[in-house]
Amino acid sequence: MGRRPARNTPGGLGKGGQKGGFKAAFEGEIVAEIEALVGTDAVDDWDLEAIETAARRKAMRVAAHAVERLINADTSDHGDPTAPCACGQTARYAGRRDKTFESVLGSLTLSRAYYHCESCETGFCPRDRALGLQGGSLSPGVLRMVGRVGAMVSFEEGHELLAELGGVNVPTKHVERAAEALGREIAEDEKRVALPPAPDDPVAPTLYLGMDGTGVPVRKEELVDRAGKQPDGSAKTREVKLVTVWSAEGRDEEDTPVRDEGSVSYSAAIESAAQKDTDETPSEFAARVEREAKRRGFERAKRQVVLGDGAKWIWNLASEHFPDAIQIVDRFHAKQHLSDVAKSIYGPGSDLGKQWARERYDELDAGDTEAILCALRMHSPNDDEARKCFDYINGNRERMRYADFRAAGLCTSTGVVEAGCKTAIGTRCKRAGMHWTVAGADATIALRCCKLSGRYEDFWERRSATRAAAA
């Protein structure tokens, strides 16, 4: 998929005799370069690391020159004096233009037929489209590499990795621009392509869907008139909303459900989950959640579970879009609320507070929310934390039936979701000194989620097929 059949073109490799001659000449040139590099020293006297690094560099240079010569020898891209322009008018041939591209072999300077359209006053080279080179100076192979490093490390580190491991020189700023452009393509592809699993593809008996939000540091201009959590009411971050889907059919030694390896997928962006009852379409984030659920076959699972930290927007979205799903509040978030109450009533580090909290934990594990509410009710008239916790527990009682959930073999922790906030968002976007534009953060997050979810190669195949069809 994504490949076009080879054509026998003048100066190309399609003819057997030329191909054989080219192969012999190419191999001879490589051998000669390496022999000159090694010299006459005995093998035991070699600096192997230096030799293998230099040999690779020389071999790539020879290969780049060979590819460059072969492409430039073929002038069939100037077959007609005119060519159709994207604006619908006719462009006229205006000579050949040279441009240097960065490829996995090194720099290639290619000569291409250039057509200019007087109607829209733009020009283009048909060969760029045919070779997947339009819109930039990176070859498809290098662009794929940039996407991989841009998803996983900072742009500066990506520049260093490309140079050290691939021998490819892409400046840091160019890595940033190319990776973010690719991320924007992925974001659009994510909206267009939400195919469910094939009917004969297995779906886990129980699928979990978790949602959460985490702040990403952004530039000041992205925060104008936005309220935040700073002491003066200002904001330093914008919230990324994340949805993740996974299965947990495995069990540990305590018979607790364990996330199945390779089952986690992510989708996230800086977008709103807010929605009014009168809205005819779902919020941006709700639509994202629906797409991810569709891709994973969430509603095909015999048991569907939505996990969250208790935020109302999560349960509003879950009730609206997955009415048959079991809703579970993360047990550790609930315990944290109880711990905060104990500290508020008895003071931090108090033995009485620790005992009070332990008793509430045991009641929570047993699903005895009535006993917890009774204990909170005693303190709520005089303690704000107790009053807030009472409302929290009372509003989520059905989502805190932990004894029943445990007996049914269900996860009661959002650890996978919280790990997703760190893995998919924090590790890449919340490092020291980083301040994003919203567009840049969204593009990078789309790229990273695609890679971590195991969808990067599928996206690349669709991209290649689309461009091949348009060529």
Side-chain angles (χ1 to χ4, degrees):
M1 185 176 181
R3 293 179 177 269
R4 293 189 293 279
R7 295 180 296 177
N8 291 339
T9 55
L13 299 180
K15 299 179 180 179
Q18 289 185 0
K19 181 176 181 179
F22 171 80
K23 180 180 179 182
F26 180 73
E27 290 178 350
E29 191 171 353
I30 291 289
V31 170
E33 289 278 0
I34 294 176
E35 286 179 344
L37 175 68
V38 172
T40 58
D41 292 341
V43 170
D44 290 346
D45 295 328
W46 286 7
D47 180 346
L48 184 57
E49 180 183 358
I51 289 174
E52 62 183 344
T53 301
R56 182 185 71 169
R57 189 183 304 116
K58 286 183 176 292
M60 300 293 266
R61 188 179 303 139
V62 170
H65 289 162
V67 171
E68 183 179 273
R69 288 197 303 269
L70 286 168
I71 292 176
N72 289 338
D74 179 2
T75 59
S76 62
D77 54 336
H78 174 211
D80 297 301
T82 62
C85 180
C87 72
Q89 300 301 312
T90 299
R92 295 189 176 278
Y93 177 68
R96 300 192 73 80
R97 301 288 174 88
D98 289 352
K99 183 175 179 179
T100 299
F101 297 89
E102 191 66 28
S103 79
V104 296
L105 302 175
S107 296
L108 301 176
T109 299
L110 305 183
S111 176
R112 307 103 68 231
Y114 176 78
Y115 290 80
H116 183 264
C117 177
E118 293 184 355
S119 297
C120 64
E121 298 184 344
T122 60
F124 60 92
C125 297
R127 177 152 290 169
D128 290 355
R129 187 185 304 126
L131 297 179
L133 296 169
Q134 71 271 37
S137 61
L138 302 181
S139 73
V142 172
L143 185 58
R144 185 195 288 241
M145 292 164 64
V146 166
R148 285 187 174 277
V149 297
M152 305 310 292
V153 296
S154 72
F155 301 126
E156 174 64 28
E157 290 168 325
H159 156 72
E160 293 170 358
L161 285 173
L162 287 169
E164 183 175 350
L165 301 180
V168 178
N169 181 27
V170 184
T172 299
K173 199 63 182 178
H174 203 162
V175 173
E176 178 181 350
R177 287 196 296 266
E180 289 186 359
L182 196 57
R184 288 190 288 273
E185 286 188 45
I186 288 174
E188 290 302 315
D189 181 77
E190 189 277 332
K191 293 177 182 178
R192 288 193 307 269
V193 182
L195 300 175
D200 55 347
D201 284 350
V203 172
T206 303
L207 279 178
Y208 297 87
L209 185 149
M211 293 172 273
D212 204 354
T214 184
V216 165
V218 296
R219 297 178 183 176
K220 289 183 179 179
E221 58 266 27
E222 302 282 9
L223 298 168
V224 177
D225 297 328
R226 298 193 72 87
K229 298 179 180 179
Q230 300 304 305
D232 62 356
S234 64
K236 286 188 175 181
T237 64
R238 293 286 298 271
E239 187 174 55
V240 176
K241 291 284 198 304
L242 170 84
V243 56
T244 181
V245 179
W246 74 97
S247 63
E249 297 302 307
R251 296 292 184 270
D252 63 13
E253 61 277 5
E254 297 179 358
D255 202 34
T256 300
V258 178
R259 171 187 58 82
D260 298 324
E261 186 175 355
S263 72
V264 184
S265 62
Y266 307 102
S267 186
I270 299 174
E271 57 192 13
S272 176
Q275 187 171 347
K276 298 178 181 178
D277 293 339
T278 55
D279 289 344
E280 296 183 359
T281 58
S283 67
E284 288 181 310
F285 183 67
R288 179 177 300 278
V289 172
E290 285 187 325
R291 293 193 298 271
E292 189 60 25
K294 182 178 180 180
R295 274 190 287 267
R296 296 301 306 274
F298 184 68
E299 293 185 316
R300 277 178 50 189
K302 293 180 181 178
R303 293 193 301 186
Q304 306 148 32
V305 181
V306 175
L307 276 159
D309 62 8
K312 289 184 178 180
W313 66 266
I314 293 176
W315 308 122
N316 291 340
L317 195 155
S319 298
E320 174 71 21
H321 298 279
F322 311 109
D324 296 330
I326 300 167
Q327 297 181 5
I328 302 177
V329 165
D330 173 57
R331 186 160 48 95
F332 296 101
H333 272 86
K335 288 186 176 181
Q336 184 59 53
H337 279 276
L338 293 169
S339 177
D340 291 342
V341 174
K343 292 174 184 177
S344 179
I345 296 172
Y346 297 101
S350 165
D351 290 339
L352 282 175
K354 292 178 182 178
Q355 180 181 343
W356 186 92
R358 281 196 298 269
E359 290 173 357
R360 303 294 83 77
Y361 296 165
D362 291 342
E363 292 163 353
L364 191 70
D365 290 339
D368 192 354
T369 53
E370 288 301 327
I372 298 173
L373 291 172
C374 182
L376 290 168
R377 192 178 287 112
M378 295 173 59
H379 299 281
S380 58
N382 303 311
D383 189 276
D384 286 342
E385 286 294 336
R387 183 163 51 253
K388 288 188 290 185
C389 188
F390 181 93
D391 293 339
Y392 175 78
I393 300 290
N394 191 46
N396 286 294
R397 279 182 294 180
E398 286 299 306
R399 303 183 184 103
M400 294 181 175
R401 295 179 289 110
Y402 297 120
D404 294 340
F405 298 148
R406 190 165 53 252
L410 296 175
C411 287
T412 58
S413 166
T414 58
V416 172
V417 187
E418 292 181 18
C421 285
K422 294 177 182 177
T423 301
I425 313 299
T427 301
R428 180 63 186 88
C429 297
K430 299 171 73 170
R431 295 173 62 177
M434 287 186 172
H435 292 87
W436 298 84
T437 64
V438 169
D442 273 342
T444 303
I445 289 167
L447 183 60
R448 186 168 176 84
C449 286
C450 181
K451 178 69 175 66
L452 293 177
S453 301
R455 295 169 179 159
Y456 188 66
E457 292 304 318
D458 290 339
F459 159 76
W460 201 265
E461 288 294 326
R462 286 193 296 273
R463 185 180 190 273
S464 298
T466 299
R467 291 184 173 236

